[in-house]
Amino acid sequence: MTQQTPASRSDRSPQLVLTYDRYLDNDALLAGLRTLQVARPDLLTLSELGRSTEDQPIWLATVGRGSAAEVQGRPAMWVDGNIHATEFTGAMAALHLVDLLLAEDRPDGAADQLLDQVTFYVVPRLNPDGAARAMAASPELLRSGTRPYPWDEPRLGLHAADIDGDGRILQMRVKDPAGDWQVSPQDPRLMVKRRAFDQGGSYYRVFAEGRFEGRYDGHLIHPAPALPGLDFNRNFPNGWRPEGEQGGAGDFPGSEPEIQAVLRFFAAHRTIFGALTLHTFSRALLRPFSDKADEQMDTTDLWLYEAIGRRGTDLTGYPAVSVFHHFKYHPKEVISGAFDDWAYCHLGVLAYTVELWDLPTAAGIAEKNEQKRFIEWFRDHPVTDDEQILAFVLQQAPEALVTWRPYQHPQLGAVEIGGWDGLYSWRNPPAQLLLAEIAPVSLLARDFATLAARLTWRDISATALGPRRHLLRVALENQGYLSTSGSVRGRLSGVARPVQLRLELPAGARLLSGQHLVDLGHIEGRSHRVGLTPGSSPTDNRRVVEWLVEAGAGDMAQITVNSDRGGALSGTVTFG
Ligand SMILES: [Zn+2]
């Protein structure tokens, strides 16, 4: 699945501190972060991004070397996970990334390491409330937060729940000649779809294991949405639409404290140029737009997205696609209010939604993702795919498919419970397959970060022109791949500050020409030169500034460079 390119450096196999063979609840996740922090206090700071609806801390791991000011001044990558309650894999992948970044950093203090160039802001679990309920001894299936929404009243119908007390939410089935499912001839545990022309067999209705809210009349069973009906990833301001148009969107853009915490953090950290939000499942690298075609994206940014996506595909095997073109839940509907669209459209942050893990592709059904039938596959696929999945599960994680057994349901009467333990097969990888799934995504986050703009001095010197007369010259270069705006959208949005030079002279010295404060605008890296023709390699990633200064021998000038997504620099020149 994973093809490594030589530059990925993954062959170094750094020594990780933690193990990744089980899913961590909130306490264990915090313990893991603290263990990492104790291991490398020089690189890792833990703080609260904010508080959840239930007033639980949302932990933020800041990874970078140096003083707080140095770390905050660098271009930055954002990685979050588990915004959706049941998508624990995202939290584990984010934790793994922190572990990997620390492991790859050489404590000998060798210069020019990644954590000297870029800061990582990692929030493994953006939604501690939802994850706590989904991981409870009696788990709940909910989309995001735990606040009752859109109403307080429980909704009539069947609610997914662990009714037999075995700690899992499996499936229930009842025999029904009008049913949509039938037992697979390959294995009595596996239910497969009844097709259009299937007649005369033994058919079933299949429901989530659950509890019926309201009075069951002996006829009507409809699945009810969970009482907490929020979807945090519809609550971001970009293109936000109300409940009737976009389910789970919340009361208004940014209405939820978890999302407000993200919005405020980005407003205060304009250095962030790239972002990964870690979800499950599908094995896909999703990018904006969700609601419009690629033709409407700036072409340079589109090429940039594609270049990063190709690297991501090389590292993870996941196809990189636009949500609008390839990841619609319904062919005629678009989604809005998602993180990646907001981060790109409002802030020019190159953001991807990573959908980790996919049971069918893990089982070797390559056509699903090769033909980009991420969603459509579930609607329609050959029965041989089901058999292939079965064979894989029986070999790799037989506990994920449970033998059906009779159960006297308190409301529905005689049913059978069994089938998929969906939370740890379809929604998340079985724990024994977790590490293999998350490790390549950490490599993507790490490689993505190496694209950051990187301002460096080419020259900072003074030439004596006569008594107390000096020509002060600074040449600056962006040696990174990305522009100091991160993207064209970042420049147009005006969120990222352009590069500014500040010259400070000692008392007694005087500026004869030029300004103390020089606005250099944004400085390109190499990312805008995708269409470069042979023989042309312009130096548009450089700037030269000269001042005429009156100063005495031994006087020292201080020059500082500030930018958001290109980092900060400072240097001194002593006049001869
Ligand atoms: Zn998700």
Side-chain angles (χ1 to χ4, degrees), residues 93 97 276 278 316 318 354 356 437-446:
L97 169 64
L276 300 180
L278 306 178
T316 64
Y318 299 1
V354 182
L356 287 111
E437 197 68 31
I438 60 181
V441 175
S442 293
L443 301 181
L444 168 59
R446 190 242 359 237

Side-chain angles (χ1 to χ4, degrees), residues 269-291:
H269 296 80
R270 295 178 297 184
T271 52
I272 298 171
F273 68 91
L276 300 180
T277 181
L278 306 178
H279 291 240
T280 64
F281 55 92
S282 283
R283 281 190 173 165
L285 305 171
L286 307 180
R287 62 164 170 83
F289 300 117
S290 297
D291 58 352

Side-chain angles (χ1 to χ4, degrees), residues 106-342:
R106 300 192 304 285
D108 59 14
D112 218 27
Q113 300 197 67
L114 183 59
L115 296 178
D116 295 307
Q117 313 294 340
V118 181
T119 295
F120 285 81
Y121 298 115
V122 183
V123 177
R125 181 161 283 155
L126 190 53
N127 178 11
D129 297 352
R133 288 226 200 150
M135 297 185 110
S138 182
E140 277 181 51
L141 295 185
L142 68 171
R143 180 66 167 160
S144 275
T146 54
R147 180 169 79 84
Y149 172 90
W151 306 289
D152 285 340
E153 293 78 20
R155 289 185 253 189
L156 296 181
L158 187 68
H159 291 261
D162 168 27
I163 51 165
D164 65 355
D166 70 351
R168 300 175 293 194
I169 298 173
L170 302 174
Q171 295 171 294
M172 300 191 299
R173 70 180 185 186
V174 286
K175 267 207 169 124
D176 187 331
D180 303 305
W181 297 86
Q182 52 195 324
V183 177
S184 163
Q186 310 294 318
D187 190 292
R189 287 167 291 185
L190 182 66
M191 302 302 287
V192 294
K193 258 190 183 177
R194 177 185 184 181
R195 273 145 214 289
F197 296 98
D198 289 346
Q199 295 290 341
S202 183
Y203 304 111
Y204 289 82
R205 287 185 193 269
V206 177
F207 308 99
E209 179 185 345
R211 187 173 293 112
F212 203 79
E213 181 70 50
R215 191 184 69 84
Y216 175 53
D217 62 7
H219 300 287
L220 304 180
I221 305 173
H222 58 274
L227 180 57
L230 282 162
D231 184 339
F232 288 168
N233 204 29
R234 306 290 181 268
N235 190 234
F236 286 89
N238 189 69
W240 185 91
R241 290 176 296 161
E243 183 64 20
E245 296 176 31
Q246 175 66 81
D251 298 328
F252 50 87
S255 59
E256 304 312 303
E258 293 83 353
I259 303 313
Q260 266 183 38
V262 176
L263 300 177
R264 288 181 199 284
F265 188 83
F266 273 72
H269 296 80
R270 295 178 297 184
T271 52
I272 298 171
F273 68 91
L276 300 180
T277 181
L278 306 178
H279 291 240
T280 64
F281 55 92
S282 283
R283 281 190 173 165
L285 305 171
L286 307 180
R287 62 164 170 83
F289 300 117
S290 297
D291 58 352
K292 47 185 181 272
D294 280 354
E295 289 70 35
Q296 300 196 48
M297 186 181 283
D298 174 88
T299 308
T300 300
D301 283 357
L302 180 61
W303 288 342
L304 197 48
Y305 258 121
E306 288 174 345
I308 299 166
R310 275 193 296 276
R311 176 63 150 200
T313 302
D314 286 346
L315 291 168
T316 64
Y318 299 1
V321 296
S322 130
V323 173
F324 179 84
H325 291 289
H326 293 294
F327 209 82
K328 287 202 195 97
Y329 292 98
H330 185 281
K332 291 185 176 167
E333 287 169 17
V334 297
I335 63 156
S336 58
F339 167 83
D340 54 2
D341 288 296
W342 164 74

